[in-house]
Amino acid sequence: MSLSRRALLAGAAVLTLPLPIFAQPRRYGLQPVEVADGIWMIEGRREVFTRENGGDIVNVALLATDQGALVVDSGSTAAMGAEIRAFADQRLGGLVATINTHHHPDHWFGNAPLADRPVLALAATSATCREYAQDYAETLYSILGSWISGTRTMPATGEVEAGPRAIGGRTLRMIPLAGHTAADLAILDEATGVLVAGDLVFLDRATSLPDADFATWLAALDRLEGLGPAGVVPGHGRFHRAGEGIAQTRAYLRATRDRLAMAADLGLTPIEAMAAGPVPEFAGLGANPEEYLRSVVRRFGDHETLALPVVGGA
């Protein structure tokens, strides 16, 4: 599709998508579940974006504090953000702040209904959100249709830095990492030992690789494993306590990296690499084969560059 982000951004970080006259209010019926003391999770469907799921594909965490809920990631649309806000207001004493773990739109396009309180992210995340806001908005509108109508793209305006931070009386450890994107934030809740991992960890849902750096991501997983979390809220997939999400994400990254490298070494074309399909062990995960096909489109060139001889070279 033809994209025109730079012309349309024109320095603005706030964009409003059109509201068709036929659009009706949309509701997801989100069902937060308390997974640890004072930590609630909304589990997204283990799918890619479709008009049927309306973008309800991402996990959201709500941490209860003395001043209301701290929301970690806000979903794909304003309608999702509004439902998250309603739960915070009705069950957790209001909203204290929102944190976005990285720049992919399913993690921050729901910011607007939460933006009367601080919205925080790594500085690099906010910058990338501003850069790609229009691209994402156009793409999601083409996929989700009226689900996204009225959504305003509002990147974080506050900054998160590495180290301990108390929010609403709850002490958190901010852990900037990278690998899934160039700037990923994981958050460790000191009271419960629960790790909110963002998209550095997936479980039972194919890992998303369009911006991946395999080596950096694997190193980040080692760092998260070393924390010894008592539980993990992954970016996609179920809450778990035994570290299986970190193990599965690591195995998926290594296997997919090796599969793409092998295809490039064999001189396959991207179409042939797609036709080979995902690593069989992971073919049954949610969002596959779609995520594998997207991985070939976005990452296969890296492996071709390493595998193919340079014309005129030694």
Side-chain angles (χ1 to χ4, degrees):
M1 80 184 278
S2 176
L3 300 173
S4 56
R5 67 174 185 273
R6 296 194 184 281
L8 292 172
L9 274 173
V14 178
L15 303 168
T16 303
L17 293 166
L19 182 64
I21 58 174
F22 55 82
Q24 299 297 319
R26 294 281 201 171
R27 280 201 50 81
Y28 293 91
L30 301 178
Q31 298 292 328
V33 174
E34 190 170 18
V35 295
D37 185 22
I39 299 181
W40 298 73
M41 172 176 154
I42 299 168
E43 183 178 345
R45 300 185 190 186
R46 300 169 197 170
E47 302 171 358
V48 296
F49 287 112
T50 67
R51 194 155 300 201
E52 287 70 32
N53 63 41
D56 175 17
I57 63 169
V58 64
N59 290 348
V60 174
L62 299 98
L63 284 67
T65 81
D66 296 339
Q67 300 173 17
L70 171 66
V71 173
V72 182
D73 291 330
S74 60
S76 306
T77 68
M80 287 189 71
E83 289 193 32
I84 294 165
R85 178 60 185 267
F87 179 80
D89 287 343
Q90 294 165 13
R91 297 288 302 276
L92 300 178
L95 174 72
V96 63
T98 298
I99 297 177
N100 301 140
T101 58
H102 63 287
H103 74 268
H104 289 161
D106 48 328
H107 294 261
W108 68 275
F109 262 41
N111 279 356
L114 312 169
D116 61 329
R117 298 289 185 273
V119 181
L120 313 171
L122 297 171
T125 295
S126 301
T128 310
C129 289
R130 289 192 292 272
E131 181 178 3
Y132 290 106
Q134 185 65 27
D135 286 7
Y136 288 143
E138 293 176 0
T139 299
L140 287 193
Y141 191 75
S142 71
I143 298 171
L144 303 181
S146 59
W147 279 104
I148 202 171
S149 294
T151 295
R152 304 171 66 205
T153 55
M154 301 184 68
T157 54
E159 191 170 328
V160 169
E161 297 179 343
R165 179 162 180 168
I167 298 179
R170 192 154 197 145
T171 302
L172 307 166
R173 194 189 315 174
M174 303 295 174
I175 309 167
L177 294 166
H180 175 64
T181 69
D184 297 294
L185 179 67
I187 302 169
L188 184 69
D189 177 53
E190 298 285 5
T192 63
V194 168
L195 177 70
V196 183
D199 277 7
L200 289 167
V201 177
F202 288 66
L203 183 58
D204 297 337
R205 195 269 192 195
T207 301
S208 181
L209 304 175
D211 297 307
D213 179 313
F214 288 102
T216 302
W217 195 340
L218 289 167
L221 291 174
D222 291 343
R223 173 88 181 276
L224 295 180
E225 188 172 57
L227 297 172
V232 177
V233 177
H236 300 262
R238 59 184 167 83
F239 176 80
H240 52 283
R241 295 191 178 279
E244 58 263 46
I246 293 175
Q248 188 182 88
T249 303
R250 180 187 288 123
Y252 189 96
L253 289 175
R254 287 174 172 166
T256 303
R257 176 196 60 191
D258 293 349
R259 192 169 189 79
L260 297 181
M262 178 183 293
D265 287 340
L266 291 171
L268 300 185
T269 67
I271 297 299
E272 291 170 322
M274 288 181 187
V279 176
E281 178 183 353
F282 302 109
L285 294 182
N288 253 343
E290 295 92 340
E291 285 291 0
Y292 171 75
L293 299 179
R294 194 159 69 123
S295 300
V296 175
V297 171
R298 296 296 297 269
R299 300 267 63 92
F300 192 60
D302 303 342
H303 298 280
E304 284 185 314
T305 300
L306 294 173
L308 298 179
V310 177
V311 175

